Amino acid sequence: MWNSGEDDDDDFQIPPSSQLSIRKPLQPTNANSNNISHRRPNKKPRLSRYPGKENVTPPPSPPPESSSDPSDEYGTDLLCSSSTLDCSSLDCIPSSVDCSIGDFTGPICSLGDKVDNNDCFKANREGYLCNSMEARLSKSRIRLGIDSGIHEDDDESDSEFDVLLKLCSESEGNIGGECSLVKDDSIQCPLCSMDISALSEEQRQVHTNKCLDNSDNQAPEQLQDSLRKCEKSYSLIEESIDDPVQLPQLVTDLSPVLKWLRSLGLAKYEDVFIREEIDWDTLHSLTEEDLLSIGITSLGPRKKIVNALSGLREAFVSSSEAQAQSNCTSAHVTARQRDKTTSRKASEPKKTTANKLITEFFPGQATDGTKIRKAPKDPVAEKSPPDSSSRRAVRRNGNNGKSKVIPHWNCILGTPFLVDAFKYLTRNCGHWFLTHFHLDHYQGLTKSFNHGKIYCSLVTAKLVNMKIGIPWERLQVLELGQKVNIAGVDVTCFDANHCPGSIMILFEPANGKAVLHTGDFRYSEEMANWLIGSHISSLILDTTYCNPQYDFPKQEAVIQFVVEAIQAEAFNPKTLFLIGSYTIGKERLFLEVARVLREKIYINPSKLKLFECLGFSKEDMQWFTVKEEESHIHVVPLWTLASFKRLKHVANRYTNRYSLIVAFSPTGWTSGKTKKKSPGRRFQLGTIIRYEVPYSEHSSFTELKEFVQKVSPEVIIPSVNNDGPDSAAAMVSLLVT
DNA sequence: GCGATCAGAT
DNA sequence: CACATCTGATCGC
């Protein structure tokens, strides 16, 4: 089972001294009690968790944008776009005002709708998993060189070709696909079966090469059989290849593979594929590991191939299914053979075009899990060339790609409201709620939005106005803790403790069935207090970490870990500390670091401007500087810390000033799966140290459970399905046990 | 040409 | 693994 999480602070650990060149071990206690402003004080109303949130007075308009560099040295986008912040017309809803808007045309989503939960979730979140190469590949890990199909009918475990391929993959260092046959302790030439055990590696190569040279006419039956099999396998492909590639004499026809490689713009790896004799069938079973082992060491090309391969496999599966449903009954063709044939037809490259989207090679494979493929039967579309992309299919539906099924978690039952659903813009809704300003929640929202009003917190409204250019007339600010009536529905929002401006929203429609939408949230004890007296019928819950394996420390413990790690290393003035952050999010981490260490923290000018807009207090703002030289603690985008390669890039820029880099990646995933709960994991490459610290702005499983028990809803609707809707449902059920 | 959108990558 | 984001390709105005 999972840890209760109540002992978070007790099991806090400092970084091992051996890892941090600490001069003196630090105590995990409140040794710095005079500085521990990050410790949560006695319970008190916490509406101002993020500064400025409680301040509903519109800030003065900033001066017009001056010309500015589009990014800082860490690659951060300039936050303030050409649209200037103008809060002068900011429209806060007084709690007593009825905000009904006339364009409501009725409920948009109700339980009665024929919307399958699974489809909703697939359409929205599962794409991540769908696109996860590792997840897909792990299901079909097959050893390099052993084709899963060709020998399906063979009773012998080691058919000739099988052995041949196996040996080719085993004979490391053999250039050109030379083979040696290993059975028991003796080594035979695969071509003439002569025992060549006594020969040196070099001599064996010479021998087999000789045999190869003669193989056209003199190859032993063993090899000839193999060759015949291969030729048979590829005969279908050959028909469509207009420019067969000249291949080495040995074994299979690799031309489809080479064609395919070229179509990916990876012709430079032809040699590798030829050398490894990777044929079309073997290709399907390659894993990323295999690619690495055969010498494709560059990440980009490797990923590209892995991606394309998963497309191939999908094509294989779908065509197999299609074939199974057809009336094709060939007495002498096995089902497996049919599948293989179909798969080749479906997935073989037809055109050689560099830089085409992978989807263009595999038509009909919608990758986003939506119902797009069930588009109306359009004979033209059906006859469209195989390289038409799935995206084009989206556009063909004539609704600008927005006619997707709206997931349940975006709909508020009994109301005409949608939450975080800008991907599904529809005229049927005039009331759009935005829980917080993170891309995956406001995706689809553009400055041309004209579908009604957007309801959100003041901070979010400012960001939406500043970053997207939504005019203030379209924005309605919701004050924390104040009930307002919108279109006949009582609406109250609360601090979601996720990122600045994040809110959870309580909807109380006239039917008495209250819905609480948490948005993304990190549980805090006072949340339950806010909801006292409200009977929650449906709880739309942020289930990002809804799995017992995710149990991470309180933010305070992680902050202290970071603080102490920095303290331990700070004696070296040539150390640069990097802390990762998003556009918004993780602010508390580095603000507390600054407060506790009483050191300014460098942020880029655009982030400073953002913080000013968010309404950070003067007291808070004093801890930030935009002058690099004033601080050796820098806030950088999280993805800058994602790889040592990027960190190395940073290091190179500061060669003269810093000799050591210590980076902190705050992410909740640090404590997932097999990882035990700990305040940080440490990685080091030379003079670069990277900590993954479990600083999460989502609730842990323990916290979710506590929250659900206190809210005690009748129904829970998960908003995130990391492992698919079924799994999400199963995990949610754990919350109430 | 540019904004919107999407898939894929990090 | 992918919290949230960036990048490049494509489409439509």
Side-chain angles (χ1 to χ4, degrees):
Chain A
M1 292 304 285
W2 59 91
N3 295 326
S4 71
E6 287 166 3
D7 57 348
D8 285 324
D9 288 347
D10 294 334
D11 67 10
F12 165 80
Q13 296 161 17
I14 58 165
S17 56
S18 60
Q19 298 174 347
L20 267 177
S21 58
I22 295 175
R23 286 167 302 175
K24 186 180 86 168
L26 292 158
Q27 296 305 312
T29 57
N30 296 352
N32 303 313
S33 55
N34 56 328
N35 281 334
I36 51 165
S37 54
H38 57 282
R39 290 274 178 205
R40 188 174 291 167
N42 292 335
K43 270 193 212 171
K44 58 179 179 184
R46 204 170 50 97
L47 293 182
S48 58
R49 181 184 294 276
Y50 281 105
K53 209 175 235 184
E54 72 285 15
N55 173 16
V56 294
T57 309
S61 301
E65 293 281 327
S66 55
S67 64
S68 48
D69 61 302
S71 66
D72 71 354
E73 68 275 30
Y74 292 109
T76 315
D77 277 355
L78 187 67
L79 288 164
C80 301
S81 63
S82 55
S83 60
T84 55
L85 176 67
D86 177 11
C87 306
S88 55
S89 60
L90 184 59
D91 190 7
C92 298
I93 307 173
S95 52
S96 58
V97 173
D98 185 331
C99 301
S100 7
I101 292 171
D103 56 358
F104 163 51
T105 57
I108 12 184
C109 195
S110 70
L111 275 180
D113 289 350
K114 290 188 176 175
V115 176
D116 178 40
N117 235 355
N118 291 4
D119 288 327
C120 287
F121 297 136
K122 271 180 206 157
N124 201 52
R125 290 285 185 148
E126 211 180 52
Y128 266 127
L129 281 181
C130 279
N131 293 332
S132 162
M133 292 309 120
E134 279 70 20
R136 278 196 245 163
L137 294 175
S138 63
K139 289 176 188 163
S140 58
R141 287 187 80 84
I142 303 166
R143 262 183 55 203
L144 169 65
I146 309 296
D147 174 73
S148 59
I150 285 183
H151 307 291
E152 195 71 14
D153 302 324
D154 293 354
D155 290 325
E156 302 162 19
S157 59
D158 275 349
S159 70
E160 304 89 335
F161 188 55
D162 205 321
V163 170
L164 194 63
L165 284 175
K166 203 188 290 182
L167 294 174
C168 286
S169 69
E170 283 171 2
S171 60
E172 283 180 23
N174 282 1
I175 307 301
E178 300 84 349
C179 304
S180 53
L181 189 61
V182 182
K183 277 263 179 180
D184 298 322
D185 291 332
S186 71
I187 300 172
Q188 292 179 312
C189 169
L191 301 163
C192 67
S193 298
M194 187 182 126
D195 188 340
I196 52 173
S197 314
L199 302 183
S200 71
E201 187 71 15
E202 210 168 297
Q203 287 168 323
R204 284 175 205 161
Q205 284 186 32
V206 171
H207 172 91
T208 48
N209 277 339
K210 263 189 182 174
C211 286
L212 285 175
D213 291 340
N214 299 327
S215 64
D216 273 352
N217 301 317
Q218 301 169 20
E221 204 173 340
Q222 186 183 38
L223 180 62
Q224 301 254 4
D225 276 354
S226 302
L227 288 169
R228 273 196 293 275
K229 279 187 184 177
C230 291
E231 280 162 11
K232 198 173 155 192
S233 298
Y234 295 113
S235 58
L236 279 162
I237 299 170
E238 279 298 308
E239 291 165 12
S240 65
I241 304 295
D242 49 359
D243 180 25
V245 179
Q246 290 303 310
L247 295 166
Q249 297 167 5
L250 179 66
V251 200
T252 64
D253 184 348
L254 304 175
S255 60
V257 177
L258 302 184
K259 272 263 173 189
W260 180 80
L261 263 184
R262 286 177 196 176
S263 73
L264 296 175
L266 297 173
K268 66 174 187 173
Y269 291 103
E270 282 179 10
D271 288 349
V272 176
F273 278 70
I274 292 169
R275 186 186 71 215
E276 300 292 335
E277 292 172 31
I278 294 166
D279 56 50
W280 190 247
D281 287 284
T282 306
L283 186 70
H284 285 68
S285 61
L286 285 183
T287 65
E288 187 172 0
E289 213 171 275
D290 297 328
L291 293 171
L292 191 62
S293 72
I294 65 174
I296 301 176
T297 51
S298 304
L299 185 65
R302 207 167 63 234
K303 288 287 182 192
K304 199 169 187 176
I305 293 171
V306 165
N307 263 329
L309 284 176
S310 59
L312 282 179
R313 290 190 196 98
E314 278 183 19
F316 178 92
V317 170
S318 77
S319 60
S320 297
E321 284 167 358
Q323 191 69 23
Q325 286 169 5
S326 77
N327 292 327
C328 174
T329 51
S330 176
H332 60 283
V333 182
T334 66
R336 169 65 68 172
Q337 283 168 326
R338 275 204 307 273
D339 288 351
K340 285 169 60 61
T341 305
T342 322
S343 90
R344 260 179 243 119
K345 277 185 173 170
S347 55
E348 69 194 34
K350 295 269 204 247
K351 268 194 327 195
T352 303
T353 311
N355 296 325
K356 274 170 76 175
L357 287 176
I358 287 167
T359 50
E360 291 180 342
F361 291 94
F362 313 108
Q365 296 300 308
T367 53
D368 58 0
T370 63
K371 290 184 164 181
I372 292 162
R373 263 190 294 163
K374 289 199 172 179
K377 283 195 176 180
D378 173 0
V380 179
E382 281 182 350
K383 283 186 181 175
S384 61
D387 62 345
S388 31
S389 68
S390 57
R391 191 185 314 160
R392 241 174 273 156
V394 173
R395 292 190 189 279
R396 260 203 298 272
N397 67 21
N399 197 19
N400 205 17
K402 283 174 185 154
S403 66
K404 298 170 192 166
V405 176
I406 304 175
H408 272 158
W409 72 271
N410 296 113
C411 307
I412 306 301
L413 287 176
T415 79
F417 304 153
L418 288 177
V419 178
D420 295 347
F422 298 97
K423 274 189 283 193
Y424 314 98
L425 291 182
T426 164
R427 294 283 167 199
N428 294 336
C429 178
H431 309 279
W432 302 80
F433 290 79
L434 178 58
T435 59
H436 64 289
F437 194 73
H438 276 159
L439 189 66
D440 52 333
H441 289 257
Y442 67 77
Q443 205 159 44
L445 182 57
T446 63
K447 69 179 174 190
S448 57
F449 174 85
N450 61 350
H451 292 69
K453 284 272 180 185
I454 300 170
Y455 302 87
C456 57
S457 69
L458 175 65
V459 167
T460 303
K462 287 182 191 171
L463 292 167
V464 165
N465 170 259
M466 182 176 75
K467 296 268 285 175
I468 302 177
I470 302 287
W472 281 103
E473 307 86 82
R474 294 224 168 267
L475 294 164
Q476 294 274 203
V477 169
L478 299 171
E479 286 184 59
L480 293 175
Q482 296 218 13
K483 187 175 286 187
V484 295
N485 190 280
I486 302 172
V489 179
D490 282 339
V491 177
T492 318
C493 66
F494 308 98
D495 181 3
N497 189 25
H498 175 66
C499 67
S502 62
I503 52 172
M504 55 172 67
I505 312 171
L506 175 64
F507 299 92
E508 296 172 287
N511 66 11
K513 301 213 168 206
V515 178
L516 177 64
H517 196 305
T518 66
D520 284 355
F521 84 112
R522 175 100 197 227
Y523 175 73
S524 69
E525 287 175 15
E526 50 268 53
M527 283 175 180
N529 299 334
W530 298 335
L531 299 165
I532 286 174
S534 309
H535 172 71
I536 310 293
S537 178
S538 305
L539 175 64
I540 300 172
L541 185 68
D542 166 22
T543 46
T544 302
Y545 295 117
C546 186
N547 187 315
Q549 73 189 353
Y550 294 119
D551 191 19
F552 29 75
K554 302 277 185 221
Q555 288 181 346
E556 289 82 351
V558 181
I559 290 172
Q560 189 172 345
F561 173 87
V562 173
V563 164
E564 296 185 8
I566 293 177
Q567 280 179 326
E569 206 66 53
F571 68 92
N572 176 2
K574 297 195 82 176
T575 302
L576 173 64
F577 298 96
L578 302 176
I579 301 177
S581 82
Y582 296 125
T583 302
I584 55 169
K586 321 287 183 189
E587 287 79 9
R588 199 177 305 141
L589 172 61
F590 50 82
L591 188 56
E592 294 302 339
V593 165
R595 279 195 189 127
V596 174
L597 297 177
R598 310 204 69 76
E599 282 192 46
K600 287 196 175 194
I601 290 190
Y602 166 78
I603 57 175
N604 64 55
S606 55
K607 213 168 184 68
L608 183 78
K609 194 172 280 184
L610 179 81
F611 286 178
E612 284 165 352
C613 291
L614 296 184
F616 276 89
S617 68
K618 275 195 172 174
E619 193 275 329
D620 290 329
M621 293 302 290
Q622 68 170 319
W623 295 113
F624 300 121
T625 175
V626 291
K627 294 173 186 165
E628 264 189 79
E629 63 278 10
E630 282 187 7
S631 171
H632 63 299
I633 306 174
H634 293 191
V635 170
V636 299
L638 209 42
W639 46 95
T640 302
L641 312 180
S643 71
F644 276 106
K645 191 180 169 188
R646 292 174 186 211
L647 285 168
K648 184 79 184 150
H649 190 69
V650 175
N652 289 343
R653 216 174 33 238
Y654 292 113
T655 325
N656 296 328
R657 200 147 31 115
Y658 298 110
S659 58
L660 179 69
I661 290 194
V662 181
F664 298 91
S665 283
T667 163
W669 294 108
T670 303
S671 46
K673 304 287 176 190
T674 56
K675 298 153 199 163
K676 296 287 177 195
K677 188 171 73 170
S678 76
R681 293 199 304 156
R682 181 183 185 276
F683 305 86
Q684 181 164 6
L685 187 68
T687 56
I688 301 171
I689 297 168
R690 187 165 71 94
Y691 283 97
E692 281 183 359
V693 292
Y695 183 89
S696 174
E697 293 186 325
H698 294 268
S699 303
S700 68
F701 182 79
T702 309
E703 291 166 339
L704 284 176
K705 197 169 171 171
E706 194 171 334
F707 182 69
V708 166
Q709 280 167 355
K710 288 189 175 172
V711 173
S712 187
E714 291 170 19
V715 180
I716 299 175
I717 300 168
S719 69
V720 180
N721 298 287
N722 283 327
D723 296 311
D726 292 341
S727 172
M731 288 303 163
V732 164
S733 71
L734 287 179
L735 292 173
V736 290
T737 54

